[in-house]
Amino acid sequence: MKSILFVDDENQILKSLKRIFIDTEYEIFTAQTGIDALKLLRENEIHLVISDMRMPVMDGYQLLHAIKGLYPKVLRVILSGYADEKVVFKALQQNVAKVYVFKPWNNEKLIKLVEQIFETEEILATNNVLLLINNIEDIPTIKSSYQRILDLIKKEADLTDIAIEIEKDQSISTKVLQVANSAYFGMKTGSISQAVSYIGLKNLSNLIMSTSIIDSIGTNVKTEKYIEVIWKHSFYTNKILTFIYEKCLKKKLPVIASAAGLLHNIGIVLMIKNFTNEYLKIMMKNLSDDYGLIKIEKDLFKVSHQEIGGYLLKWWELPFPIIEASLYHHDPFNERVINKDIVYAVHIAQKYAWDRLDENRESLFYEESFNEIDLEKSFFESKLDEDFF
């Protein structure tokens, strides 16, 4: 039986939450303070903590941050008022919490959210996924130079100090300047300090994290050609994803999902690197067919590249929308998906990225995804041809 701990300093809210889940299969615990919550965690097996943000002595962010350190396998969700948006974003960006629920909540949606979280976690922790991961000799880790920069960003250090740290690594410096001078940001600068200031810490964090993951995997002569195709496709996917949000939907792509397109196929890259001979045979036969690729992955490895990608992104502590984009980009209508709009948009973007690369690939594609994000297909396609390439 799964157990949930609700934490809120208002007793009436705790009573309401307990009533909502009274007829479910979950064992429910409640606490009115962070101190009491930590005591319950020490004494009981808790699988999920849902905590309010605004509490005296120890607030929700401090509590969830402590739980992440002490009990990393415990899932964490924010229950918050709209006034807490800044701290909510910080918690999501730093993977202190997976998702958030704003007060007042919808009872049915809250129950469904809990189900979705547990079901996705079960996919990522299946024996088949863990067995394959255990057979990988070298799971990439983030280089210390990247980690130092990420730590400074998390601490909200002075921009000058962050820029100095970036300048110590030529590859990171090059990437930051490349992004700052791209059409997306439109800067014309050779200064790291100016670039960091213009890009902003939120975007910089995702950029550094994504670059560190790509760098950590690397290539060799045998795999270079295939991995280059995947990276190019991923870059186009991320570009189209941003285009969908900003040019078509007229809204900002959430910063915590800004690398979703870039990392959605990370599972393929890792499988090419670690199971080179077997996987290149699959790639040569099925590069043009998502259906065939996934089927053969399941037959040969018992898992798909989406599941491996989702696991790795979780292991690297990427924000939950990026994990979902990897896990469900070929299955956007899966009932487990929480960040639906992002997954639909990535699904669309990855299909049109393959089209633009002219790889003759039959993408596993659901046109209904356009309707789900209120985007007219013909408008999108004409605007893509007109403005994008």
Side-chain angles (χ1 to χ4, degrees):
M1 177 186 290
K2 298 291 187 183
S3 56
I4 306 170
L5 169 59
F6 290 103
V7 188
D8 198 297
D9 60 328
E10 295 186 39
N11 194 41
Q12 281 302 115
I13 288 179
L14 293 178
K15 287 181 179 178
S16 297
L17 289 166
K18 203 165 185 177
R19 280 197 300 271
I20 294 168
F21 284 83
I22 196 167
D23 293 324
T24 67
E25 60 185 14
Y26 306 112
E27 183 178 9
I28 302 300
F29 296 85
T30 61
Q32 283 188 262
T33 69
I35 302 299
D36 290 342
L38 291 174
K39 184 173 185 293
L40 284 168
L41 282 158
R42 285 196 300 272
E43 298 173 350
N44 301 275
E45 185 179 12
I46 306 291
H47 298 100
L48 170 65
V49 174
I50 301 180
S51 176
D52 184 29
M53 283 288 97
R54 290 193 172 188
M55 298 186 295
V57 185
M58 177 184 287
D59 64 25
Y61 177 86
Q62 292 169 323
L63 170 63
L64 295 179
H65 190 274
I67 293 171
K68 178 184 175 183
L70 294 168
Y71 309 100
K73 292 184 179 180
V74 174
L75 305 174
R76 304 170 300 277
V77 172
I78 293 169
L79 188 63
S80 169
Y82 284 97
D84 304 322
E85 282 194 61
K86 186 175 181 181
V87 71
V88 166
F89 177 84
K90 181 180 177 183
L92 296 175
Q93 181 75 7
Q94 297 183 5
N95 206 33
V96 169
K98 287 190 173 296
V99 294
Y100 64 88
V101 178
F102 277 129
K103 298 176 181 178
W105 62 84
N106 175 287
N107 293 351
E108 291 182 5
K109 287 182 178 179
L110 181 58
I111 293 173
K112 180 65 175 175
L113 176 72
V114 169
E115 292 173 356
Q116 290 169 313
I117 291 170
F118 279 132
E119 287 170 359
T120 293
E121 287 297 316
E122 285 172 10
I123 290 174
L124 297 175
T126 60
N127 288 334
N128 289 335
V129 172
L130 296 177
L131 184 62
L132 187 70
I133 288 292
N134 287 336
N135 286 330
I136 293 176
E137 293 181 4
D138 180 27
I139 296 180
T141 55
I142 296 172
K143 288 195 319 185
S144 58
S145 56
Y146 287 106
Q147 192 60 61
R148 285 194 299 272
I149 298 167
L150 290 170
D151 288 343
L152 286 172
I153 294 172
K154 281 184 180 180
K155 295 174 184 174
E156 298 181 346
D158 188 88
L159 291 180
T160 302
D161 293 335
I162 295 172
I164 290 170
E165 194 62 45
I166 290 173
E167 288 170 347
K168 293 177 182 177
D169 190 297
Q170 186 176 3
S171 64
I172 303 175
S173 298
T174 301
K175 178 59 69 176
V176 169
L177 289 175
Q178 181 184 350
V179 170
N181 287 287
S182 69
Y184 181 75
F185 284 101
M187 282 193 78
K188 298 296 178 187
T189 183
S191 164
I192 294 295
S193 182
Q194 285 183 353
V196 167
S197 177
Y198 198 81
I199 291 173
L201 289 184
K202 294 173 183 177
N203 286 315
L204 183 65
S205 179
N206 280 326
L207 170 64
I208 298 297
M209 177 64 80
S210 304
T211 306
S212 70
I213 289 171
I214 293 169
D215 257 17
S216 68
I217 291 179
T219 61
N220 58 48
V221 173
K222 196 170 186 178
T223 64
E224 186 173 7
K225 179 180 77 171
Y226 295 95
I227 290 180
E228 180 61 30
V229 171
I230 298 300
W231 282 139
K232 193 171 184 180
H233 171 257
S234 296
F235 176 79
Y236 271 39
T237 299
N238 215 58
K239 199 174 178 184
I240 296 174
L241 174 64
T242 304
F243 175 83
I244 288 171
Y245 268 80
E246 298 200 348
K247 300 296 185 181
C248 299
L249 302 179
K250 303 296 183 184
K251 58 184 180 181
K252 279 284 187 183
L253 173 66
V255 174
I256 58 171
S258 60
L262 190 62
L263 297 173
H264 79 284
N265 262 338
I266 195 74
I268 288 183
V269 178
L270 196 87
M271 291 176 87
I272 290 174
K273 182 184 177 186
N274 287 276
F275 306 102
T276 302
N277 293 331
E278 303 99 308
Y279 208 83
L280 289 188
K281 288 177 184 176
I282 297 175
M283 293 288 287
M284 285 186 281
K285 290 180 180 178
N286 295 283
L287 185 61
S288 63
D289 182 4
D290 285 332
Y291 298 87
L293 178 62
I294 294 167
K295 183 180 185 305
I296 293 179
E297 285 174 346
K298 288 282 195 178
D299 289 343
L300 187 59
F301 299 105
K302 308 303 180 188
V303 298
S304 69
H305 66 273
Q306 300 106 291
E307 292 164 336
I308 290 300
Y311 181 93
L312 289 169
L313 294 171
K314 177 191 172 188
W315 189 74
W316 283 315
E317 295 195 341
L318 270 288
F320 195 63
I322 296 178
I323 296 172
E324 282 197 320
S326 174
L327 192 56
Y328 299 116
H329 64 271
H330 288 313
D331 188 17
F333 286 88
N334 193 303
E335 291 186 354
R336 300 180 182 94
V337 177
I338 295 170
N339 298 279
K340 294 182 181 297
D341 286 358
I342 290 167
V343 174
Y344 288 131
V346 170
H347 178 69
I348 294 169
Q350 62 87 29
K351 190 269 186 201
Y352 283 85
W354 281 126
D355 290 351
R356 265 45 190 187
L357 283 170
D358 194 28
E359 291 290 335
N360 297 315
R361 188 183 184 93
E362 291 294 326
S363 293
L364 185 56
F365 186 60
Y366 298 91
E367 285 195 11
E368 303 93 327
S369 299
F370 284 106
N371 298 331
E372 297 298 325
I373 58 173
D374 199 23
L375 177 59
E376 188 178 329
K377 180 186 174 187
S378 58
F379 169 77
F380 163 76
E381 290 180 339
S382 63
K383 197 160 185 63
L384 191 69
D385 291 333
E386 176 187 336
D387 296 348
F388 195 76
F389 289 97

